Amino acid sequence: MVELKFDERGLIPVVVQEYGSNEVLMVAYMNKEALQKTLETGHAHYWSRSRQRLWHKGETSGNYQIVKEILYDCDEDTLLLKVQQVGNACHTGHHSCFFRKLGDGGEVSPSSTVLHEVQQVIRERIKKLPQGSYVAKLVKGGEDRIWKKVAEESVETILAFKEHERKHLVYEAADLLFHLLVMLTYEGIDLSEVWQELGGRRWKKKEEYPSSLT
């Protein structure tokens, strides 16, 4: 095994990246014990500098990180974890800890982060079925109501495309994505699984893709 370079505190910085989307989720630290636990369990473990103890990511929130790959840099003093993120990585409820832009004080919402946040809201609506919730109404209508709504929004998106109405197409595409998220969440599928599937396709040979995509 490579001799990684831990600092004087016995720590090594870890950049955590979502497998598939390549979005940077967070930065943390590991000591040798945390790295060993990560290798043994396949779940990310870190060393908490504030609490001075080993930290299993998701131990209280349920937002676990399933490790797909561990890479190290050319100086052997930094790790890159590629993970399947269950839920959100940030304790604020954002999918990534990097949701603010330096200089203007505003929040940045990359597309994948927005989708994860919307899915989290949908997940809560499905779980609690609050009165007056559109998602709750869809779910109470059962599978038929959900797939028919996805089909309807697909047709409306296609029609907007044929009309070449940019604003209308954006609106209908947003509706389609929302209802597709409802369908995925209803089936218990997290977006990270979709990112993983898409990420894996980049490495396939050209002839493995449908002819329409080549």
Side-chain angles (χ1 to χ4, degrees):
M1 183 176 179
V2 64
E3 287 294 327
L4 296 173
K5 298 173 184 175
F6 293 82
D7 66 17
E8 66 280 359
R9 300 166 297 175
L11 302 177
I12 189 169
V14 183
V15 178
V16 185
Q17 186 180 48
E18 185 167 44
Y19 187 78
S21 74
N22 287 330
E23 181 178 2
V24 175
L25 299 176
M26 56 182 278
V27 175
Y29 288 84
M30 285 184 178
N31 60 8
K32 290 183 178 179
E33 183 184 4
L35 178 56
Q36 187 60 39
K37 281 283 188 182
T38 299
L39 290 169
E40 289 175 356
T41 65
H43 277 213
H45 287 69
Y46 305 106
W47 177 258
S48 172
R49 293 174 298 165
S50 59
R51 290 172 284 179
Q52 288 293 295
R53 70 172 182 85
L54 196 67
W55 165 41
H56 179 193
K57 173 66 176 173
E59 61 189 8
T60 56
S61 65
N63 296 333
Y64 298 104
Q65 291 176 344
I66 302 168
V67 179
K68 297 295 184 179
E69 292 180 329
I70 303 179
L71 295 85
Y72 58 92
D73 74 337
C74 54
D75 293 322
E76 301 173 354
D77 61 2
T78 304
L79 295 178
L80 173 65
L81 257 65
K82 294 193 174 186
V83 306
Q84 178 183 336
Q85 177 66 53
V86 179
N88 297 315
C90 185
H91 72 282
T92 63
H94 289 82
H95 188 62
S96 168
C97 292
F98 297 94
F99 58 88
R100 291 174 292 183
K101 183 185 293 184
L102 189 64
D104 62 7
E107 293 192 358
V108 179
S109 295
S111 57
S112 61
T113 298
V114 169
L115 289 173
H116 278 286
E117 290 174 2
V118 172
Q119 185 175 44
Q120 185 60 33
V121 172
I122 291 171
R123 190 176 285 117
E124 287 297 311
R125 297 288 192 273
I126 291 176
K127 181 179 178 181
K128 298 179 180 178
L129 297 176
Q131 188 70 27
S133 164
Y134 174 69
V135 173
K137 184 178 178 180
L138 276 178
V139 171
K140 289 176 182 177
E143 292 182 9
D144 282 355
R145 185 176 180 86
I146 294 172
W147 74 254
K148 285 178 182 178
K149 195 62 183 174
V150 172
E152 175 187 325
E153 297 299 339
S154 298
V155 171
E156 290 180 0
T157 302
I158 292 168
L159 291 175
F161 171 69
K162 292 187 69 175
E163 293 169 0
H164 302 292
E165 290 288 341
R166 185 184 184 89
K167 188 174 181 180
H168 187 200
L169 178 57
V170 169
Y171 181 88
E172 295 298 345
D175 272 355
L176 176 58
L177 284 171
F178 175 82
H179 288 89
L180 184 58
L181 279 175
V182 173
M183 176 183 282
L184 290 172
T185 310
Y186 184 84
E187 281 294 292
I189 297 173
D190 190 86
L191 268 174
S192 60
E193 297 177 60
V194 180
W195 301 148
Q196 183 177 336
E197 171 63 24
L198 286 172
R201 291 183 184 184
R202 291 177 303 160
W203 310 113
K204 291 183 178 180
K205 295 179 181 179
K206 184 177 180 181
E207 58 266 24
E208 293 180 2
Y209 282 103
S211 58
S212 61
L213 299 180
T214 58

